[in-house]
Amino acid sequence: MELLIAAVIVGLIVYGLERNRIRQAAQPNAHLAGSSDIVDRDTERVSRELLFRDPSVRHP
């Protein structure tokens, strides 16, 4: 009897997780979470460093 109850609980959990995954995948922008207009300061800093580095200095 305990095995039957455990199998029913596991089945319901799997069904709920699968239903939630399918429902979220149906949305057009499901992979986006939040705004995307954030400026990435690391890429700006690296591009400025590469722009202003001295080409006469050779690094190993």
Side-chain angles (χ1 to χ4, degrees), residues 7-60:
V8 169
I9 291 173
V10 169
L12 288 173
I13 290 173
V14 169
Y15 170 74
L17 290 173
E18 185 67 19
R19 183 172 179 244
N20 188 36
R21 184 188 66 83
I22 290 172
R23 186 172 51 107
Q24 287 181 354
Q27 297 173 356
N29 293 327
H31 61 281
L32 296 177
S35 62
S36 61
D37 60 344
I38 298 172
V39 177
D40 188 5
R41 294 185 305 184
D42 289 333
T43 55
E44 286 184 357
R45 179 183 53 82
V46 169
S47 62
R48 271 190 255 123
E49 286 177 356
L50 291 174
L51 183 64
F52 293 116
R53 81 177 170 161
D54 188 9
S56 64
V57 177
R58 301 284 288 180
H59 296 285

